[in-house]
C-alpha cells in the first residue's frame, strides 16, 4: 500500500464515520461534543452558585439551545438559573422550563 492510498482510506473512513454519526442522531460529531461541553459548563455554574442552591436543575443542550427543567424554590432561583446558563460559552438560546415549587 502506498502512503497516498493509506491517506485516502483514512479520509474515507473519517467521512463515513462522520456521516454515520450525523445520520443516526441528526447531529455531527462536533455538534454533539459542543452540546456536551455546554451542558457540563451550565451544570457546573449552577452547582457552583451556592446561594441559589440550583443542584436539582436538569440541563439538556441541543444545537446550542439549553433547556432548563425541574423545580426550584423561588422565582428568583428560576431567573438566576437562566442567567447562569447564558454565561456558558456557545449558548445560542435558553429555554427555561423551570417550575417554582409551591409551598
Amino acid at each position: 500500500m502506498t502512503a497516498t492510498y493509506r491517506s485516502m482510506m483514512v479520509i474515507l473512513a473519517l467521512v463515513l464515520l462522520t456521516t454515520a454519526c450525523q445520520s443516526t442522531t441528526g447531529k455531527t460529531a462536533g455538534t454533539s461534543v459542543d452540546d456536551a461541553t455546554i451542558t457540563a459548563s451550565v451544570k457546573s455554574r449552577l452547582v457552583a452558585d451556592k446561594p441559589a442552591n440550583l443542584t436539582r436543575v436538569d440541563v439538556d443542550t441541543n444545537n446550542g439551545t439549553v433547556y432548563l427543567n425541574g423545580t426550584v424554590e423561588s422565582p428568583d432561583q428560576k431567573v438566576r438559573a437562566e442567567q447562569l446558563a447564558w454565561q456558558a460559552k456557545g449558548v445560542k438560546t435558553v429555554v427555561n422550563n423551570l417550575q417554582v415549587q409551591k409551598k
Side-chain angles (χ1 to χ4, degrees):
M1 252 188 245
T2 66
T4 303
Y5 180 75
R6 274 185 288 205
S7 296
M8 287 176 32
M9 293 304 290
V10 168
I11 291 169
L12 178 61
L14 290 172
V15 168
L16 289 174
L17 180 61
T18 303
T19 304
C21 288
Q22 187 172 7
S23 65
T24 58
T25 64
K27 293 182 177 183
T28 64
T31 302
S32 294
V33 170
D34 291 344
D35 285 346
T37 301
I38 292 169
T39 297
S41 178
V42 171
K43 283 183 179 182
S44 69
R45 288 171 190 279
L46 295 173
V47 170
D49 197 61
K50 301 282 185 212
N53 189 26
L54 299 168
T55 57
R56 297 185 327 188
V57 174
D58 182 45
V59 180
D60 295 305
T61 307
N62 188 11
N63 294 319
T65 298
V66 174
Y67 297 88
L68 302 174
N69 298 297
T71 58
V72 292
E73 296 173 4
S74 70
D76 289 342
Q77 286 182 333
K78 181 176 179 174
V79 170
R80 182 65 180 149
E82 185 171 339
Q83 289 171 340
L84 292 168
W86 275 111
Q87 293 174 9
K89 183 179 177 185
V91 173
K92 295 176 184 172
T93 307
V94 176
V95 177
N96 191 340
N97 293 322
L98 293 172
Q99 300 298 311
V100 177
Q101 190 175 28
K102 297 190 183 205
K103 296 183 180 188

